[in-house]
Amino acid sequence: MTARIGVVTFPGSLDDRDTQRAIRLAGAEPVALWHKDKDLQQVDAVVLPGGFSYGDYLRAGAISRFSPVMDTVIDQARAGLPVLGICNGFQVLTEAHLLPGAMLGNDHRHFVCRDQKLRVENAATAWTSDYTEGQEIHIPLKNMDGRYVADAYTLDQLEAEGRVAFRYLDVNPNGSLRDIAGVTNEAGNVVGLMPHPEHATEPLIGTGRTDGLPFFTSILKKLVNA
């Protein structure tokens, strides 16, 4: 049976179709989910894609967190459903308290768009198992509110528990504390990151590399072997 991975579209989502394509390239079936529907259509995993949901008018991800679909996503994520939040999706996950910390505006107050070098810090999550710990990858990054922040206690806890999933290398593009580019929850089924792996799945687009494809092959293997 083909694994089914839902991709939620919020008003202002930009990368839902790109994410669906990445899922298809990995060998799974993408399932379009609308933010007003609580029914997840029995998908095996969910991706909250990038974009500017509700125009980020209140605070990035703050309004989408209250979309009807998120009630179900939150409940099922706490029960073990794999969930990946990319860029705006990462912001939604922090607003929903599925991941710790918060996202603020870039410290230089400018939109950033670049090919970003990352180091994989945790290769044991549902979304990162096809990487190796310490592996260096290049993933496109594009955001205005990408600065990851948390109090010192939370940051120390994330470090101690190995829950920093990705870290920026060479340059910190947005002022994120401790160069954090992505984090995971304790169970490893929920992961959020600011860079866009769906834009690094084919050699002719994005970085010209396929460094982002293992996100989607990782979850496929996780689901097949579950």
Side-chain angles (χ1 to χ4, degrees), residues 8-187:
V8 178
T9 297
F10 300 99
S13 293
L14 300 178
D15 300 301
D16 43 352
R17 296 293 182 91
D18 302 70
T19 302
Q20 291 175 27
R21 180 173 176 79
I23 290 168
R24 195 175 293 110
L25 287 171
E29 176 188 350
V31 178
L33 301 175
W34 181 235
H35 75 112
K36 285 189 176 181
D37 298 329
K38 287 193 173 186
D39 183 6
L40 297 185
Q41 301 183 37
Q42 298 182 319
V43 296
D44 303 299
V46 167
V47 180
L48 306 182
F52 300 90
S53 60
Y54 291 95
D56 291 344
Y57 288 133
L58 175 61
R59 188 173 63 247
I63 302 177
S64 291
R65 176 262 178 272
F66 293 101
S67 289
V69 73
M70 287 305 298
D71 291 337
T72 312
V73 169
I74 290 168
D75 288 343
Q76 294 201 21
R78 289 174 175 163
L81 179 75
V83 178
L84 175 65
I86 302 170
C87 194
N88 189 236
F90 185 15
Q91 295 161 343
V92 175
L93 291 177
T94 61
E95 293 287 346
H97 304 298
L98 286 174
L99 291 175
M103 311 303 301
L104 300 180
N106 298 340
D107 60 349
H108 45 71
R109 299 184 182 181
H110 294 285
F111 183 85
V112 60
C113 183
R114 55 175 285 121
D115 290 341
Q116 179 65 47
K117 189 176 182 181
L118 306 175
R119 182 171 63 240
V120 180
E121 302 284 25
N122 185 332
T125 78
W127 299 92
T128 60
S129 61
D130 264 0
Y131 294 109
T132 57
E133 186 175 327
Q135 183 177 350
E136 297 182 0
I137 61 177
H138 291 79
I139 303 289
L141 175 77
K142 51 176 184 176
N143 64 72
M144 182 66 187
D145 299 290
R147 178 161 51 112
Y148 181 79
V149 299
D151 60 79
Y153 175 82
T154 299
L155 292 170
D156 289 343
Q157 187 177 41
L158 289 172
E159 301 277 12
E161 296 176 358
R163 291 170 54 197
V164 176
F166 298 90
R167 213 180 297 269
Y168 297 117
L169 290 182
D170 295 345
V171 62
N172 185 324
N174 44 40
S176 292
L177 297 181
R178 303 194 189 181
D179 300 326
I180 292 174
V183 298
T184 178
N185 67 343
E186 292 182 35

